[in-house]
Amino acid sequence: VYKNTADGRHYKVKDPYAKAPLKGNAPEDAIYEHLVHNLLFPEVPYRFEGIGSNYLGDVRIILSQPSIQSAGQPTKVQIDAAMAARGLYPEDKYTYGNEWVSVTDVEGDNVLEDENGGLHFIDPIIKFKRPARQILEQYDGSESVPEAQSSSESKPEPASEESKQIIDKVNRKSAARKASQTRVSKAA
């Protein structure tokens, strides 16, 4: 995670395979997971910045979210109420869900309370119970999120210069590590 105070965003380099067994989602559903996140938790939407790779050449998705000024941690009662308002109800001690999705990891610093008492769900784990396109259709009425957006305010912003620099930095580090590994392999 990289914080850019100048543009008020946190940048995340995510492995689409991370937590895939826990989520039960296919790795290729990773981008859909972030679209579903934006529909369920619009107060802290992800913005797609690009695709990069690590030093092994593994794909990484680069996303950003607005930085949140936290006034504290919400209580379980506040979290339960906020999740219920989204149609998500306790499935067990750590998971909320409905017939479409299960959401977990909504505690600690993954949920922040702002000075007005609003809750911001930063990085929940979303498990699909149905195909991603059906879930998107259920939550926003279309298969294509961009087509469903009509106002210019809802359209994704173009990648900032800062996000391009972060993508370049990730790619340079990956290339350097890969080159270093190749030199070590040839030396052995």
Side-chain angles (χ1 to χ4, degrees), residues 146-156:
E147 289 175 10
Q149 298 171 340
S150 58
S151 76
S152 60
E153 292 176 10
S154 354
K155 291 183 182 170

Side-chain angles (χ1 to χ4, degrees), residues 123-144:
D123 194 23
I125 295 172
I126 300 172
K127 178 181 177 179
F128 297 166
K129 294 182 179 178
R130 300 209 181 171
R133 287 178 174 242
Q134 287 180 11
I135 295 167
L136 289 171
E137 194 171 283
Q138 166 65 23
Y139 282 106
D140 84 340
S142 78
E143 284 188 22
S144 172

Side-chain angles (χ1 to χ4, degrees), residues 27 34 54 70 82 95 101-102 139-140 143 152 160 168:
H34 299 98
N54 69 3
S70 176
T95 307
V101 296
S102 285
Y139 282 106
D140 84 340
E143 284 188 22
S152 60
S160 67
D168 288 343

Side-chain angles (χ1 to χ4, degrees), residues 1-5 7-13 44-47 49 62-69 112 122 162-163 166:
V1 176
Y2 303 91
K3 181 179 180 182
N4 180 339
T5 52
D7 72 357
R9 298 190 74 79
H10 278 77
Y11 292 82
K12 301 175 181 189
V13 180
V44 192
Y46 280 108
R47 182 172 73 194
E49 301 290 347
I62 297 113
L63 304 164
S64 70
Q65 285 180 295
S67 298
I68 302 301
Q69 183 64 39
L112 304 175
I122 305 300
E162 176 68 21
S163 65
I166 290 170

Side-chain angles (χ1 to χ4, degrees), residues 34-158:
H34 299 98
L35 294 174
V36 171
H37 168 96
N38 290 353
L39 294 170
L40 289 172
F41 306 105
E43 62 281 347
V44 192
Y46 280 108
R47 182 172 73 194
F48 179 78
E49 301 290 347
I51 296 177
S53 62
N54 69 3
Y55 67 97
L56 297 173
D58 297 329
V59 171
R60 295 296 182 256
I61 297 171
I62 297 113
L63 304 164
S64 70
Q65 285 180 295
S67 298
I68 302 301
Q69 183 64 39
S70 176
Q73 301 282 272
T75 66
K76 175 135 176 50
V77 171
Q78 288 173 297
I79 292 171
D80 287 349
M83 296 300 276
R86 291 166 168 81
L88 302 166
Y89 300 95
E91 293 181 328
D92 61 36
K93 187 175 178 181
Y94 301 104
T95 307
Y96 298 83
N98 57 29
E99 64 186 282
W100 302 94
V101 296
S102 285
V103 180
T104 190
D105 205 13
V106 291
E107 56 187 14
D109 40 344
N110 278 346
V111 185
L112 304 175
E113 182 178 6
D114 65 28
E115 64 277 355
N116 299 319
L119 301 192
H120 302 271
F121 293 83
I122 305 300
D123 194 23
I125 295 172
I126 300 172
K127 178 181 177 179
F128 297 166
K129 294 182 179 178
R130 300 209 181 171
R133 287 178 174 242
Q134 287 180 11
I135 295 167
L136 289 171
E137 194 171 283
Q138 166 65 23
Y139 282 106
D140 84 340
S142 78
E143 284 188 22
S144 172
V145 171
E147 289 175 10
Q149 298 171 340
S150 58
S151 76
S152 60
E153 292 176 10
S154 354
K155 291 183 182 170
E157 302 170 31

